[in-house]
Amino acid sequence: VLMHGMGDFADNPMGMLRMRHAIEKQAGAYVHSVALCSKETKLSGCPGEDQTNGFFMSMNAQVDQFARVVRADPKLAKGFHAVGLSQGNTVIRGYIHRYNDPPVRAFVSMHGVMMGVAGLPHCPLNVPGLELLCKAVDDLVSLGAYTSVVQGHLAQANYYRDPKRLPTYRDSAHFLPYINNEVKGKENKTFADNFKSLDKLVLVMASGDTMVQPKESEHFGYFQDGSMSDKVDMRSAPWYMQDWFGLRTLDEAKKIDFHETPGDHLRFTTQFMMDMVQRYFTGKALYV
């Protein structure tokens, strides 16, 4: 299963469609590229909505729609591998924690915002047709990321983890603090158990990423609490040390692999993606 990032859409002939065909050929497998349609009953064929909803559909709603789509596909009924691009990894991660039925087996995160962002990702103005969307995003952001209006209408605000305002983030953000199990009294054991059930977690970071702040979030690192400069790597972080959501359990079971690509966000080569497919899916997967 493929899940695109913000500004993209499942049937994009210049990107996601080519990637789906390439993975199908490399893995010799069925690949479902998930679209985020606005109507719960519509599971595909909505390119305009799919692109817009990457911005204006909340992360919880995106996860719910992802679950509807994969559950409706009989070819995925016994489980599947997943590949996410950028924000799409946050959707997949949310699905694993909250649903995971059918279960995700191996999860390859390409430049995913796994521990959130300390600055809202800039809108991709270089993508044709997004100018008006980007203006609407900027207008929403100006209201304040942790206001109820923005949390309800801007996906990127749902994983905005301000290291200098952690109490506000935990009190007001609608998505990330809950799947992280970092809201006292709201911890969910099932969220952690589902994450621990992964066969493999593959974390790919862009070495020159200017979109995700900090880029180390792609490897489950982040800024230290209270700082916008000092960083903490995954294995030294409290979410790992205290195993908030199963990350340490996965790592100690040798189920996490780390990779790095040169250059900026999502500027990996097709060959690199095919190498990931060959390494983690070929010969083991029936469905991706």
Side-chain angles (χ1 to χ4, degrees), residues 32-208:
H32 189 139
S33 187
V34 172
L36 298 172
C37 300
S38 297
K39 292 183 179 179
E40 294 182 3
T41 55
K42 189 171 180 61
L43 305 179
S44 63
C46 57
E49 292 176 0
D50 190 14
Q51 187 174 48
T52 301
N53 286 339
F55 296 99
F56 303 124
M57 179 183 280
S58 73
M59 290 306 304
N60 280 319
Q62 290 188 40
V63 169
D64 291 341
Q65 188 64 8
F66 181 94
R68 292 185 194 102
V69 172
V70 298
R71 286 177 162 186
D73 189 338
K75 294 180 179 178
L76 305 175
K78 294 183 179 180
F80 56 90
H81 298 323
V83 180
L85 303 181
S86 190
Q87 180 178 281
N89 295 290
T90 316
V91 178
I92 296 169
R93 190 187 154 202
Y95 170 81
I96 294 168
H97 289 299
R98 292 181 48 211
Y99 288 94
N100 212 36
D101 180 21
V104 176
R105 306 298 188 189
F107 173 19
V108 175
S109 169
M110 299 296 301
H111 305 169
V113 285
M114 305 307 281
M115 255 330 272
V117 292
L120 290 175
H122 53 266
C123 202
L125 288 167
N126 59 324
V127 178
L130 288 187
E131 292 86 356
L132 291 177
L133 282 178
C134 290
K135 184 180 185 305
V137 168
D138 289 342
D139 289 344
L140 271 176
V141 171
S142 69
L143 298 175
Y146 292 131
T147 62
S148 59
V149 171
V150 175
Q151 283 293 316
H153 294 90
L154 185 63
Q156 292 72 37
N158 296 158
Y159 54 84
Y160 174 52
R161 191 176 189 274
D162 188 336
K164 292 190 173 182
R165 300 174 64 198
L166 289 174
T168 302
Y169 150 77
R170 289 169 179 148
D171 183 61
S172 301
H174 287 186
F175 177 75
L176 186 64
Y178 293 94
I179 66 170
N180 278 351
N181 276 337
E182 58 180 313
V183 180
K184 296 300 181 184
K186 300 290 186 179
E187 298 92 342
N188 190 313
K189 183 177 182 296
T190 299
F191 288 2
D193 289 343
N194 285 350
F195 202 64
K196 293 174 186 178
S197 74
L198 283 170
D199 292 334
K200 179 65 73 173
L201 174 62
V202 183
L203 301 172
V204 183
M205 181 177 73
S207 63

